[in-house]
Amino acid sequence: MTDRSEGLPLEALWEAPERPFDLVDRRGGAMPAALAERFPGELTIDLGRERPTIVANFVSSVDGVVALGPGKPNAGGGEISGFSDADRYMMALLRALADVVVIGAGTMRVGRRQVWTAAHIQPALAGAIAAWRAEMWLTDNPITIVVSASGNLDPAHAGFNAPDVPVIVATTSAGAERMANLPFGPNVRIATVGNETHVPAGALLEVIRGTGARLALCEGGPHLFGEILRARLVDELFLTVAPQVIGRDSSTHRLGLVEGTVFGEGRGRWASLSSIRRAGDDLFLRYRFEP
Ligand SMILES: NC(=O)c1ccc[n+]([C@@H]2O[C@H](COP(=O)([O-])OP(=O)(O)OC[C@H]3O[C@@H](n4cnc5c(N)ncnc54)[C@H](OP(=O)(O)O)[C@@H]3O)[C@@H](O)[C@H]2O)c1
């Protein structure tokens, strides 16, 4: 597959005016020159004062498909984006800003090599990313938080085996029991927070808060996103639209999969558009949800 966005800058097409400084704390701002080369302007995320801020990042096809189906190997976000280098760049910048990256077990199970750090997806920029995090007084890498009801996770997965990446598995008591006998390394901690079948978004928020994080990046998948969306805990959505029509029933492969309706029959949650960028044919949209 050709990488149609290799090396392209994420050109700013439109940005909403910034909010007054005294209302919010901020993460980000000007970035080291090596990162700014492909991202003209600044990347800044407002931080809440009452709870950790949660932003989500997804890539969607133009017909609204974000996942190619459960249990399929090689069916990750890469297949949706066409392995877009510009999309990986955006993802790296967001990971560079985050204290924690939160993923569902289903997302972890797609492949075994993923590590949820910025340097992992843009290794050539590892030095600039490290410098930027140090400037912001952040730890070397974000903590990975994996959410799982079953605890059916592979200890050999690369995401558990980077010694400088702490991992917390937020799981149910059954999940914790299942994991207890598996050979996880000392960087992996199990947080038993759920009921028998499920980790409620509020309990996940407390796990995030317990790390001291002010900014969490949720990288999906759809089920986990649905859970935190329903609890109104998503503050912003960074959505890449890839120029691909997948052409299949998107009702079971779309953003935010939950049982029943999320906000009540016939109702949705509106957001305001705060930024539009493009890299070739990829579109980068940023939406902000009011509390
Ligand atoms: N387009 C994109 O940007 C993007 C981003 C991420 C993922 N994806 C794709 O999405 C697909 C996976 O979809 P998915 O919806 O199954 O992903 P998911 O939300 O990552 O995984 C679902 C699994 O995560 C655990 N989980 C999620 N929420 C939970 C909760 N509240 N409490 C307890 N456990 C919870 C459960 O794990 P257990 O089964 O262990 O109980 C559940 O079966 C993959 O194909 C992936 O590539 C696409």
Side-chain angles (χ1 to χ4, degrees):
M1 197 171 296
T2 55
D3 194 328
R4 47 175 209 286
S5 63
E6 182 87 47
L8 290 179
L10 284 81
E11 181 192 342
L13 302 180
W14 178 80
E15 303 276 337
E18 285 206 345
R19 295 205 262 195
F21 263 107
D22 54 342
L23 292 185
V24 285
D25 298 334
R26 297 234 150 97
R27 172 74 51 84
M31 52 186 89
L35 295 177
E37 221 167 82
R38 287 184 67 186
F39 198 92
E42 294 189 352
L43 178 61
T44 308
I45 297 179
D46 293 354
L47 302 178
R49 290 179 179 157
E50 307 291 315
R51 63 163 173 82
T53 293
I54 302 181
V55 302
N57 184 26
F58 272 92
V59 57
S60 168
S61 67
V62 289
D63 56 345
V65 176
V66 299
L68 292 175
K72 283 201 181 161
N74 306 321
E79 277 73 12
I80 307 283
S81 78
F83 297 94
S84 162
D85 180 53
D87 183 50
R88 285 202 300 273
Y89 200 86
M90 185 74 235
M91 207 188 296
L93 293 182
L94 292 170
R95 288 182 185 181
L97 291 180
D99 299 302
V100 302
V101 178
V102 189
I103 52 159
T107 297
M108 184 171 225
R109 287 185 199 116
V110 178
R112 301 179 62 205
R113 290 196 301 269
Q114 181 71 257
V115 179
W116 281 268
T117 65
H120 180 79
I121 40 170
Q122 288 291 338
L125 294 169
I129 290 161
W132 198 25
R133 287 185 69 86
E135 251 175 54
M136 294 184 284
W137 299 97
L138 302 180
T139 54
D140 292 350
N141 291 304
I143 298 170
T144 307
I145 298 183
V146 185
V147 185
S148 169
S150 69
N152 181 14
L153 297 166
D154 177 4
H157 191 294
F160 287 122
N161 288 288
D164 56 345
V165 181
V167 182
I168 301 173
V169 180
T171 188
T172 61
S173 44
E177 210 171 297
R178 179 174 201 157
M179 288 182 67
N181 300 320
L182 297 174
F184 288 98
N187 62 317
V188 180
R189 178 165 76 77
I190 299 168
T192 311
V193 289
N195 55 28
E196 273 167 29
T197 55
H198 163 241
V199 175
L204 174 60
L205 179 68
E206 291 316 309
V207 174
I208 297 170
R209 200 198 296 270
T211 66
R214 295 207 63 195
L215 180 61
L217 170 64
C218 173
E219 290 198 10
H223 280 95
L224 178 62
F225 180 72
E227 175 73 29
I228 57 174
L229 188 69
R230 191 207 303 258
R232 294 181 173 262
L233 289 174
V234 182
D235 297 294
E236 294 199 56
L237 172 63
F238 290 81
L239 182 67
T240 303
V241 180
Q244 178 183 195
V245 176
I246 292 190
R248 67 174 67 176
D249 173 14
S250 65
S251 61
T252 54
H253 301 98
R254 68 177 169 77
L255 211 66
L257 286 177
V258 286
E259 301 301 321
T261 57
V262 181
F263 301 120
E265 205 57 58
R267 292 167 61 196
R269 183 141 190 236
W270 292 87
S272 43
L273 183 64
S274 60
S275 163
I276 309 174
R277 288 180 180 254
R278 77 174 261 251
D281 297 316
D282 287 359
L283 195 56
F284 296 86
L285 303 172
R286 179 175 177 179
Y287 291 99
R288 183 175 281 140
F289 295 96
E290 292 309 323

